[in-house]
Amino acid sequence: MTPPRDLLDAIARDDAESRLRALDADGTLTSGLLPELEEGRGFEQPALHYYTVLEHNLSAVGALDRALGEGVEGLRMPDPSAEIPVAEWLSREIDGHPLLHLLRLSCLVHDIAKPRTAEVREGKLRFPRHGPVGAELLEGRLGALGFERASVDFVTTMVRYHLRPGEFARSWPPTDRALRRFARDLDGQTLPLLLLQLADGMATRGPNYRRENFERHIAFLGHIVTRTEEALREEEPALVDGEELMRELGLSSGRLLGAVLTSVREAQLAGEVDDRATALALARQSLERLTAEG
């Protein structure tokens, strides 16, 4: 089974937004392909948002292509990475699909779960966990449409973490450890996620999005991309070393100490522990397990 040709053709075009709108107009998009998108039709959003949820999703596709092409009011986006040009990154293929095509699809579905997660908190409309909920929803939907595992993983990862860059903006500047975890969680697809966030921001303001908004946004994107590249080139310092474990756990130098250190280091690099206390607790657990296993 392969994905529907009309959907693949739409996300492959430079005018992808208009192609998707044509599929929506004839009922194909939300009745036959992605019925969950229908929940966003006419669904109003908080004041900052210019569009309803479905309109916002569709507009994000066009915003992505605008950001990558003509830019905003004469300002074009430079290559943010010193290592890989944007065009080269987006031309890579996943299951035979250019990454750019899958990124357009990610823009189309990034807020697919907003209507079903909507709730009013302290008088304000919120959409808690709409990224993770959307990713879970799309796991089955994209598979049923015929997308292969790697493609599904890419799109659901984009949807799951599309609000992640906003966390950096709220706790500026991000630490090297936070940037390394960011790259790990995204399986290295940091630039595509940041491009999705850019398109999301552009579609949020709609026609009210101006050159100054774009200028700030591409500066933010460029900083995160370059700092992440730098952080990944530097080895993350170990949270605990052999001397600390020997002192804290009463261990002596040898194979057992090495095995405990390895388990803690692997957990740290996987983002499972991020402070000394948690690392020591894991070391104790590893020691107990290794001792029990003989």
Side-chain angles (χ1 to χ4, degrees):
M1 181 179 180
T2 58
R5 176 51 53 185
D6 46 7
L7 179 59
L8 293 181
D9 287 345
I11 61 176
R13 303 293 292 263
D14 291 338
D15 60 342
E17 179 186 357
S18 64
R19 295 285 174 168
L20 291 167
R21 288 187 180 278
L23 290 178
D24 183 43
D26 68 18
T28 303
L29 184 65
T30 62
S31 62
L33 297 174
L34 295 160
E36 294 83 2
L37 283 174
E38 183 63 31
E39 299 173 21
R41 192 180 304 280
F43 197 103
E44 297 290 341
Q45 302 198 75
L48 179 62
H49 291 76
Y50 188 85
Y51 299 114
T52 60
V53 173
L54 178 57
E55 283 293 310
H56 171 78
N57 281 328
L58 288 163
S59 296
V61 179
L64 173 68
D65 288 325
R66 185 182 173 200
L68 294 172
E70 67 186 43
V72 177
E73 298 176 7
L75 178 63
R76 297 170 67 94
M77 184 179 70
D79 273 318
S81 171
E83 299 181 356
I84 306 173
V86 171
E88 179 183 331
W89 195 314
L90 297 182
S91 66
R92 297 170 174 176
E93 293 192 350
I94 299 176
D95 296 329
H97 307 294
L99 194 147
L100 174 58
H101 300 181
L102 294 176
L103 186 54
R104 287 181 179 134
L105 177 59
S106 302
C107 288
L108 175 65
V109 298
H110 76 280
D111 278 346
I112 197 168
K114 265 192 170 181
R116 61 180 62 187
T117 59
E119 61 180 56
V120 176
R121 291 183 178 178
E122 300 177 354
K124 295 182 179 180
L125 183 62
R126 307 290 189 189
F127 307 96
R129 299 192 72 255
H130 70 273
V133 172
E136 293 162 9
L137 180 160
L138 289 162
E139 280 278 347
R141 175 58 61 196
L142 294 178
L145 285 174
F147 285 96
E148 296 179 59
R149 183 71 259 165
S151 298
V152 174
D153 286 345
F154 175 83
V155 175
T156 55
T157 296
M158 293 296 103
V159 172
R160 180 180 301 278
Y161 295 112
H162 75 272
L163 295 178
R164 185 76 164 272
E167 297 176 11
F168 295 149
R170 289 189 291 273
S171 55
W172 192 261
T175 64
D176 285 354
R177 180 175 295 171
L179 292 170
R180 293 188 191 101
R181 181 181 296 173
F182 177 59
R184 285 196 298 266
D185 288 345
L186 293 171
D187 196 24
Q189 299 288 9
T190 51
L191 178 58
L193 191 281
L194 288 161
L195 290 172
L196 169 55
Q197 193 237 7
L198 171 59
D200 187 10
M202 293 173 68
T204 294
R205 293 178 179 271
N208 296 323
Y209 192 86
R210 297 286 182 255
R211 179 189 173 102
E212 56 267 26
N213 303 124
F214 191 54
E215 191 169 21
R216 287 195 298 269
H217 212 144
I218 60 178
F220 171 82
L221 183 153
H223 180 85
I224 296 299
V225 169
T226 55
R227 285 293 300 117
T228 300
E229 290 174 346
E230 291 168 3
L232 290 174
R233 283 195 294 269
E234 301 170 2
E235 184 174 357
E236 183 173 358
L239 292 169
V240 292
D241 59 26
E243 290 187 2
E244 287 180 285
L245 292 189
M246 291 169 67
R247 182 172 61 253
E248 295 285 343
L249 304 183
L251 281 170
S252 57
S253 180
R255 292 175 60 189
L256 184 57
L257 173 63
V260 173
L261 267 174
T262 297
S263 66
V264 174
R265 182 62 173 167
E266 288 177 348
Q268 178 183 347
L269 294 177
E272 296 168 2
V273 296
D274 58 7
D275 58 52
R276 182 177 180 276
T278 307
L280 285 173
L282 177 62
R284 290 188 179 91
Q285 294 173 8
S286 297
L287 176 60
E288 291 174 2
R289 175 178 57 80
L290 290 168
T291 301
E293 292 173 355

